Amino acid sequence: MAKPWEDLHTRISTDKEFQDAIAYKGLTCLEVHSGWCGPCLAVVPTLKKLHWDLVEERAAALQFVVCNSDRVDALKEYKDRSKPLFLIYRKGNKLTTVDGVSTTSLKSFIEENAPSKADVASED
């Protein structure tokens, strides 16, 4: 059975997928969690709303990626977390970290920093 976030997130499980995800020219919001993390599921409705507001309505160049830190070696420092962690990247560079279920901070940062799809396309 699919998890609630799988319909809007890319799920990664290898170091190669991690590197590919963070290399995206727009913003990558990477949710890092342990597989048993209950509070991680608590943010799902907010992430769905963020996805809709920013990607669908405002055409932001933003992707949401979810990763179980128990499976990706590049994220082993975040293993066994009991709360979600959001790492925000652009073009392979980490811009910020939002620790815990601080969806207000996450939303504010994304709204202020996500380029439009048109801006990203013009960079090519």
Side-chain angles (χ1 to χ4, degrees), residues 3-117:
K3 302 283 188 224
W5 59 78
E6 290 178 347
D7 59 339
L8 64 98
H9 284 79
T10 300
R11 189 169 48 161
I12 62 173
S13 57
T14 68
D15 285 314
K16 168 87 170 87
E17 290 172 337
F18 169 74
Q19 293 301 325
D20 291 346
I22 68 170
Y24 178 55
K25 291 180 181 178
L27 282 188
T28 297
C29 178
L30 176 67
E31 180 197 356
V32 179
H33 67 274
S34 292
W36 47 265
C37 175
C40 299
L41 294 177
V43 301
V44 171
T46 301
L47 294 178
K48 286 183 176 185
K49 175 96 170 88
L50 269 177
H51 180 268
W52 180 259
D53 290 349
L54 299 172
V55 177
E56 303 298 331
E57 290 187 355
R58 296 188 196 167
L62 170 66
Q63 67 176 353
F64 288 95
V65 178
V66 66
C67 179
N68 183 332
S69 58
D70 300 332
R71 296 188 180 147
V72 177
D73 287 339
L75 299 170
K76 64 183 172 189
E77 68 184 279
Y78 306 115
K79 192 174 179 176
D80 296 327
R81 294 183 52 84
S82 61
K83 59 184 178 178
L85 175 72
F86 299 94
L87 307 174
I88 312 294
Y89 291 87
R90 181 154 191 229
K91 298 179 187 175
N93 298 308
K94 185 165 60 170
L95 304 178
T96 194
T97 300
V98 177
D99 195 7
V101 188
S102 180
T103 53
T104 303
S105 298
L106 180 65
K107 182 179 181 200
S108 294
F109 185 86
I110 291 171
E111 286 178 335
E112 292 171 15
N113 293 281
S116 70
K117 290 178 183 176

